[in-house]
Amino acid sequence: MFKAGNNNWKTPLGYYEKAIEELRRSREELQDMKANNNLHNIESNLASFKTEIKELKSELQAMQERLANTEETAIQAQITLAETQKSSLAAQTELQALKEIMTAEQKSNYQILEKLGQIKKQISQLPSQVLETHSQTSIIKSLSDVQLHLSQLAAELTLVSHTTGIDYRKLQQLLAEEKWKEADKETYSTMLKICEREGEGFLDSGEIQKFPRHDLYIINKLWVQYSEGRFGFSVQQSIWQAKKDSKRFAYKVGWLASLANHEWIKYEEYTFTLDAPKGHFPSISRLVGLDSRNVGQVERRLNIFLSRY
């Protein structure tokens, strides 16, 4: 065998033994290198796997959050759809009731006119001697009394709400006298009274949705009639449909001083004449709580209110 310090390595056998020893040592070193390299690769792969697992966890968490948001949105959409369907059904019911009432009112008016015609016919058929015994003034007065009675009946049929019992003849008188401020305050206070919201001073979304459509019809009809089409809910709705934005709508009808600084005009500074912007009254700005403190609810309430038409 080859040994260190031995000169036998110079012989052929020595060379052979030395080569074998070198080969064995090289093989051991190579195995050590492979083992170290494999360990390094394993550690590297393990670190890579950890990184991938971390990224997968992050993606999974993000997907779970998106799924939760999607579920929440779907639930909210279902709730909104249910509310919309409910409101639509209520509106259809109110509309049908209004049609029936209007039909009944028309029949009543026809009956009244028919009765008046019969009275006139009866008067014309009175014997001439009877007519001679009554002065012309007396006959005219009797006819005037009949006409007044008919007018009062017509007012009761059209201006007293069958739904709430509210008598709108005071509002009619104020509008006929062009007392726009007093008429607007009367409208405001009456609508709050119907919903029992005098203390709050405005109508919330639920109260707006439940507000009797027949009363809206009467109020709007009076405002449109006596303002020559300048004021009324239906006038405001046409402007809202064109704007579809609470601030632009408020600016158009004269409740907002400027779009730039969102400065709301104080109610006492409204224009209480026919020179006011179209749609200036009734001031549903106050009815829906339109001011800078709750502007987040404004567009929703305006949309609900004006969609009742």
Side-chain angles (χ1 to χ4, degrees), residues 146-212:
V146 172
Q147 184 64 44
L148 178 61
H149 182 63
L150 291 175
S151 299
Q152 291 174 345
L153 288 175
E156 290 179 0
L157 287 171
T158 58
L159 296 178
V160 178
S161 171
H162 76 283
T163 305
T164 61
I166 298 295
D167 188 341
Y168 288 97
R169 280 177 286 188
K170 180 180 179 181
L171 175 60
Q172 181 192 39
Q173 182 179 354
L174 292 172
L175 289 170
E177 296 173 357
E178 297 188 356
K179 296 180 178 179
W180 308 113
K181 186 173 184 179
E182 291 82 353
D184 185 62
K185 288 185 175 181
E186 175 70 13
T187 302
Y188 172 72
S189 60
T190 299
M191 295 183 72
L192 291 179
K193 180 181 178 180
I194 290 174
C195 297
E196 298 181 353
R197 297 275 296 182
E198 297 97 321
E200 290 78 3
F202 68 93
L203 304 181
D204 61 18
S205 299
E207 296 297 338
I208 293 171
Q209 289 175 329
K210 294 186 296 183
F211 197 92

Side-chain angles (χ1 to χ4, degrees), residues 83 86-95 161 163-164 168 191-197 202-217 300-301 304-308:
E83 291 178 350
K86 184 178 179 181
S87 299
S88 176
L89 180 61
Q92 290 175 359
T93 303
E94 287 187 17
L95 182 59
S161 171
T163 305
T164 61
Y168 288 97
M191 295 183 72
L192 291 179
K193 180 181 178 180
I194 290 174
C195 297
E196 298 181 353
R197 297 275 296 182
F202 68 93
L203 304 181
D204 61 18
S205 299
E207 296 297 338
I208 293 171
Q209 289 175 329
K210 294 186 296 183
F211 197 92
R213 191 180 294 271
H214 184 58
D215 288 71
L216 288 177
Y217 169 80
R300 174 176 169 78
R301 290 175 185 164
I304 294 173
F305 193 100
L306 295 174
S307 66
R308 300 298 305 280

